[in-house]
Every structure is written in C-alpha cells, then in structure tokens.
Amino acid sequence: MKKYDANLRDIDIIGVPLDHGAGRRGVGMGPSAIRIAGLHQAINKLGHSLTDHGDLTIAAPETQPETEINAKFLPLITKACEALSAKVTESLERGSTPLVIGGDHSMAIGTISGAATALHNKHGDKGINRLGILWFDAHGDANTPNTSPSGNIHGMPVATLLGDGPERLTQIGYDGLKIRARNLVMIGLRDIDPKEREFMQERGIHTYTMYDIDRLGMSRVMDRALEIVTAGTDMLHVSFDIDSLDPRVAPGTGTQSLGGLTYREAHLALEMVAETGVLSSFELAEVNPILDDKNHTAELAVGLIASALGSRIM
Ligand SMILES: [Mn+2]
C-alpha cells in the first residue's frame, strides 16, 4: 500500500450540503459549521497543503418532488452522488487526499463510488478488491428500499455499495459493486434493525459493536480492524458518522443513540488510522448545526479530522 508522508499531503476539501437522505433537516448546513469551526486552520497547522473546492450545488428539498416513498429524493441524491464520485476520483488520480464533509451519510455512496472508480480505472474489475473501508457509525446503514422503515437513503449506503440498493445508485462511477464485504469493517454499532442484522450477517461484514469495544478496548479493536482493511488493499477510506460518538459528546446530530464512543475512543481510533500512513480518503457525515450546542459538535469534528490527518498529542 502507498504510504503517505503525514506532512506532505495535498488535501482536497469537498463540501456536500446534503439534507435529503436524512429524516431531519439541518445536516445540509454541516459543511459550513465545520469550516466555521476552524477546519482550514487545523489542516494548515499540520503542514498539509489544502484546496477547498467549496460545496456541491444541491437544490433545496422544498423545491424537489418527494418521488419515491421507499427511497426519498432518489433523483436528487443520485445527481449529488454522481458529482461527488467524479470529484473524488479526480482528486485521487491527482495523488491528493479527498476530505469530504457533509451532509447526511447517503453521500458515502458518492465518495466511495469515487474511490472504487479510481481503482476500477487502473485495475478493471479487480480494482474493487483493493479498497479497504473503515466505517464508524451507531447504525448499520445497511437497509434497502425494501427493508427501510423510513425510506431515508442515509440508512442505505452500506447495502447500496455492496450492490443491493436502488439501481441508479449502484451504477454510479461504473455498474457494479463498490465494496467487498471482506474489506469492510464497521465500528461503534449499537442500533441495528432486524433486517439489517440479517443482511450484515449474510454478507459477512466485519463488525466491532459497542459490546466489542467495551470488552476489548478501542486499541485492540483498531489493531484488528486495521489488519483487515489493509490486507491486500491499495486504498483505505474512512467513513466517519459523527453519531458513532455518544450524544453527550456529540449532540449535534439527527439520529442520536446512547452508549457510543467516548471522546478519547474516537480520537484514538483515528490517531491509529493516521499512524498507518495509508489513509487515502476521509469523510465526515451527519453534523447537524440546528441540533448542536454552540457548534461544539462541528468543533469536535474538526479535531477528529485533525487526528485522522496526523495530529499528535506529543
Ligand atoms: Mn451513518
């Protein structure tokens, strides 16, 4: 795997003001809140060079028909994810590190399709075997339009990227799988729908739930997780849902679930990611400023991004 010098990255910030995949409005303001919380300063301080590509243009939900009840705002989310995927592919092919800030977690369909497409362009159908994914979340995000209780697409990215989702979304970048289950590890889970559990077990997704983190400690969980996602892969993408943290630490998010990661567990996990030197792209989703307490959750998000990009205590 390509090792990056922690201090020599070219970072491409891509903002995704996407609300439409979530049940609660406000998460579309996440990119602004994260920038206001000092994202540029934090990255500059680490010595990286930085280009902010601004936000994708996304129409307000009020101007859009809510077409499909089982997959709400599918046409708009498809368009946003197609645009995002193309930007992520371009960034990776330039040798840069895409840093995607959201936005609801349906954007992961775009980000990860973009990473998979970069590998597909280089290696054809075998490219997909070379993409490792670490996914931090309270939830499984593994519903499909048929199993989702809400029809909100932010609950479907994992299933979609594994090929089981709305066709328009599975075709982004190229037609086919964007993740191999064996290269995917999900961390911090504690709120999983029965049908998601079935799906995750059938597909053989590696999971470290809060139970595992309590039993093993985050350090050992990350040792094992990093071993899985770096085995035989060329790229490592981290998809970080801020709701993986406990809502007492991260109140500014729409689907809170008690019993989540502590402040230090989250930082340790991302410090360990940075230590590997092989992180190739990162995204942070689901910061909702409307629900936040004086932008603290966005500030927390900036700190976590800094840890993932090499910030050290000593
Ligand atoms: Mn999520």
Side-chain angles (χ1 to χ4, degrees), residues 105 215 279:
H105 215 170
R215 291 285 308 255
L279 177 73

Side-chain angles (χ1 to χ4, degrees), residues 105-106 135-141 154-155 157 240-243 255 285-286:
H105 215 170
S106 66
W135 190 290
F136 292 86
D137 217 299
H139 309 93
D141 290 2
H154 76 159
F240 195 98
D241 190 323
I242 201 75
D243 76 19
T255 49
E286 298 286 352

Side-chain angles (χ1 to χ4, degrees), residues 189-261:
L189 307 175
R190 54 197 182 275
D191 188 358
I192 300 170
D193 298 327
K195 289 283 180 195
E196 283 186 303
R197 184 174 293 115
E198 268 174 41
F199 177 89
M200 294 165 79
Q201 287 173 343
E202 263 170 35
R203 296 301 184 99
I205 296 172
H206 304 274
T207 57
Y208 291 99
T209 67
M210 289 312 301
Y211 171 86
D212 300 308
I213 294 166
D214 290 342
R215 291 285 308 255
L216 297 169
M218 184 55 101
S219 169
R220 265 200 282 176
V221 164
M222 284 305 294
D223 280 337
R224 293 180 189 185
L226 286 167
E227 205 177 300
I228 295 167
V229 296
T230 57
T233 56
D234 292 349
M235 281 191 187
L236 173 61
H237 173 73
V238 173
S239 193
F240 195 98
D241 190 323
I242 201 75
D243 76 19
S244 59
L245 279 109
D246 193 88
R248 286 167 296 193
V249 186
T253 195
T255 49
Q256 297 187 354
S257 178
L258 274 176
L261 302 181

Side-chain angles (χ1 to χ4, degrees), residues 3-74:
K3 285 238 180 195
Y4 295 78
D5 181 329
N7 291 317
L8 283 177
R9 285 173 182 270
D10 294 320
I11 299 201
D12 284 327
I13 296 177
I14 306 165
V16 186
L18 189 62
D19 248 358
H20 310 59
R24 303 183 72 161
R25 298 292 312 279
V27 65
M29 291 183 260
S32 294
I34 292 169
R35 287 192 184 91
I36 291 164
L39 181 63
H40 285 207
Q41 296 88 319
I43 293 172
N44 287 330
K45 209 173 139 193
L46 293 170
H48 302 302
S49 77
L50 157 67
T51 309
D52 193 330
H53 296 260
D55 289 345
L56 299 184
T57 305
I58 293 170
E62 286 79 1
T63 66
Q64 301 296 306
E66 210 181 272
T67 44
E68 300 181 40
I69 277 315
N70 292 334
K72 292 175 188 163
F73 299 114
L74 178 60

Side-chain angles (χ1 to χ4, degrees), residues 149-165:
S150 66
N152 294 327
I153 296 180
H154 76 159
M156 308 181 192
V158 169
T160 300
L161 290 160
L162 287 165
D164 197 348

